[in-house]
Amino acid sequence: MDGKASLRAPVGPDAWRWRTFQSVRTLVVPARTVTSTVRVLEVLPDLLRGDDRVGVVFAHDPTSAFSDGVLDLLRSADCRSVPWDHLSDVAPDLILSASENIDLPDSDCPVLVLPHGVGFQKLVPDSRSTGSRLSGMVSERLLKRARLAVSHPDQAAQLLAAHPETEGRTVLIGDPCYDRLVASVPQRDTYLRALRLEPGQRLVVVSSTWGPTSLIARVPDLPARLLAELPLDEYRVAVVLHPNIWSTHGAWQIRTLQAAALEAGLLIIPPTRGWQASVVAAAAVVGDHGSVTLYSASLGRPVLLAAFGDDAVPGTAGAELGRRAPRLDLQAPLRAQVEQAMAGQEPDRWADIAQQAFDQPGQAMERLRSTVYDLIGLPEPNGPTPVRAFPVPQIQPSPVTAAVVSLRLAADADGWSLSVERYPASVARRADEGPGEFRYLACDLEEPDPKQTLNASVLIERTRLDATATVHRIAEILGAYPGSRAAAAALEAAGEHLVGLRDRRLIQVTAADGVADPGLAAAAVYACLRADIPLAGARLTVRIGSARTHVVELRQLRRG
């Protein structure tokens, strides 16, 4: 006896006694890494939709350096899994894997290996040696029984040139992930709302593959640097990290390294869901030689490369993107480069690269289903295979509670025009005021860093109260924080705000469009104070970025 407990359900010698669904075929999915398991989970439900003839078993293989998180993924997806050492007890009819690095028991069962990225674009460390190997390429032993799915005929030719033994072992499928990304484009506005973007804000996605040549390894502070230069009212920044980074270093380490950026509003996209919606929603993608960057370019998104490793495989679509895509100059201002990329993007700039990577878009799920049912020995179900948009992500970013505010004031025909830009204080660079610029630190009272609150010129109360209670609250705030110049709050009435000053003046700020934004009200008052403009009766057109314009009027109520 080897001490291994007998497996009785859903597979095993007498599993028929315990099963409710009496399937006639068994499909096994090796769950070795988060990346490869997610890729199968993205396609399998629609491949087997409504077909009770096929039973599915996920076999957890813990031998990968990137196995951490796999069991959590299987549990979150409600998958029935068995330990890898029970795989010999299963009599599968087909093994479907997106990991090429699996060590299967000897059998004549067919194996279909899906790519877990875009084709065969990268060299990766070989777990069986100290060298490297082509990502996606199986061992010689496994190749004798495996079929390799490719997304383009050029990939089959690439494999044949490097590994002649792959002749006759590839099958042209296309790329189901790319097809779903294309199907997701009509959901862009829905994704933007789910990612907590306000109207007029644009999403910049930072995408990194794993390993020492990746973006996040070479420029770990890039998310924070982008957040320091992109006004928070106009932009949001999200980071998409390869699941192998999460498996190796853990969520705690990632969040600790990005702590300042998280306080600045960074969206860290989870490793198992959400990156697809992020690239569909993106206005620009800053990436490297990973598949997410190539998918983004193929969708027509503006792309800047902040890193591009020498482990990219020459002659591939990814390498061609690396040759042609503009580099992000890390020694130059970043905002101008991002905005130039967005402004200068032709819709079909990367169309030829997409054509080099993906054969006959829209057909991959049909081809994959035909291949799966052919290998498993069953006729296909009737009806088409759906190609669905990716799910709407569920993201809860941290609010930005301290901001460096930059103001520029100019006279216009209606009074004064005020340009407002706000930058997260946790990453903002120290800078002197430029010509015609006023700068100050504004903090919500919920700001967790007391040093920020004590140093703030303007304090913001986000709780909306009636006028009497607000007056008292402002007095309390100014008394508690003697270093502040002003405290602001929105009233219950639409568009109405109160701003209290250190000299006990109380200013009512009315936004004509009814917006409730005490930070905006404080900016109008602060600009008038610095420019020596009489507060009583001042009228300002406040512009926040290119999308938001509010007309506000000031009225001095009293000197308390």
Side-chain angles (χ1 to χ4, degrees), residues 100 116 122-127 131-136 210 311:
E100 70 277 14
H116 55 258
K122 185 179 175 184
L123 298 174
V124 296
D126 187 354
S127 63
S132 61
R133 60 175 179 82
L134 181 64
S135 178
W210 65 279
D311 42 349

Side-chain angles (χ1 to χ4, degrees), residues 141-156:
R141 174 174 171 268
L142 182 57
L143 185 61
K144 295 176 182 178
R145 55 192 284 209
R147 294 294 187 94
L148 305 181
V150 297
S151 64
H152 193 279
D154 286 355
Q155 294 171 8

Side-chain angles (χ1 to χ4, degrees), residues 114-181:
L114 308 178
H116 55 258
V118 182
F120 308 85
Q121 310 272 338
K122 185 179 175 184
L123 298 174
V124 296
D126 187 354
S127 63
R128 295 181 174 88
S129 72
T130 58
S132 61
R133 60 175 179 82
L134 181 64
S135 178
M137 182 59 196
V138 302
S139 65
E140 291 185 13
R141 174 174 171 268
L142 182 57
L143 185 61
K144 295 176 182 178
R145 55 192 284 209
R147 294 294 187 94
L148 305 181
V150 297
S151 64
H152 193 279
D154 286 355
Q155 294 171 8
Q158 172 197 355
L159 290 176
L160 186 61
H163 300 276
E165 63 273 18
T166 61
E167 183 175 10
R169 308 306 300 172
T170 59
V171 54
L172 181 60
I173 297 295
D175 192 307
C177 181
Y178 179 67
D179 289 356
R180 290 190 67 184
L181 286 168

Side-chain angles (χ1 to χ4, degrees), residues 152-418:
H152 193 279
D154 286 355
Q155 294 171 8
Q158 172 197 355
L159 290 176
L160 186 61
H163 300 276
E165 63 273 18
T166 61
E167 183 175 10
R169 308 306 300 172
T170 59
V171 54
L172 181 60
I173 297 295
D175 192 307
C177 181
Y178 179 67
D179 289 356
R180 290 190 67 184
L181 286 168
V182 173
S184 300
V185 170
Q187 301 297 319
R188 185 170 188 267
D189 288 344
T190 300
Y191 295 153
L192 286 169
R193 289 191 295 270
L195 293 167
R196 302 297 190 265
L197 271 80
E198 299 292 337
Q201 282 186 311
R202 292 182 285 187
L203 179 66
V204 175
V205 172
V206 177
S207 169
S208 178
T209 188
W210 65 279
T213 65
S214 67
L215 180 154
I216 205 66
R218 292 185 170 179
V219 201
D221 63 343
L222 183 58
R225 291 174 59 181
L226 285 166
L227 287 159
E229 293 195 34
L230 300 175
L232 62 85
D233 293 295
E234 301 176 54
Y235 291 93
R236 295 218 72 150
V237 176
V239 63
V240 173
L241 302 178
H242 194 287
N244 288 358
I245 301 174
W246 294 83
S247 293
T248 302
H249 300 285
W252 181 90
Q253 182 78 75
I254 290 168
R255 294 192 176 98
T256 300
L257 291 173
Q258 298 297 326
L262 282 168
E263 291 175 5
L266 178 68
L267 304 171
I268 296 188
I269 306 303
T272 58
R273 175 181 289 190
W275 73 262
Q276 304 93 337
S278 300
V279 300
V280 169
V285 175
V286 181
D288 57 14
H289 54 294
S291 292
V292 172
T293 307
L294 181 53
Y295 280 126
S296 302
S298 299
L299 284 178
R301 300 297 176 260
V303 166
L304 289 165
L305 297 178
F308 203 85
D310 56 8
D311 42 349
V313 177
T316 62
E320 180 65 12
L321 179 65
R323 187 181 70 83
R324 290 165 45 187
R327 260 46 177 189
L328 185 71
D329 184 351
L330 297 169
Q331 306 305 315
L334 303 181
R335 178 180 178 180
Q337 297 178 72
V338 171
E339 292 182 342
Q340 181 180 5
M342 292 188 293
Q345 174 76 22
E346 296 292 335
D348 59 349
R349 180 174 184 177
W350 310 117
D352 61 322
I353 289 179
Q355 292 168 2
Q356 184 182 345
F358 310 114
D359 182 68
Q360 296 188 26
Q363 302 300 312
M365 286 295 289
E366 293 286 354
R367 289 172 168 178
L368 181 56
R369 187 174 75 167
S370 295
T371 301
V372 165
Y373 276 91
D374 179 62
L375 291 173
I376 210 167
L378 290 174
E380 284 188 63
N382 294 325
T385 308
V387 179
R388 302 179 186 279
F390 281 103
V392 176
Q394 296 180 354
I395 305 292
Q396 292 294 336
S398 299
V400 178
T401 52
V404 173
V405 184
S406 171
L407 307 178
R408 293 186 182 276
L409 188 65
D412 64 17
D414 296 322
W416 298 92
S417 175
L418 178 64

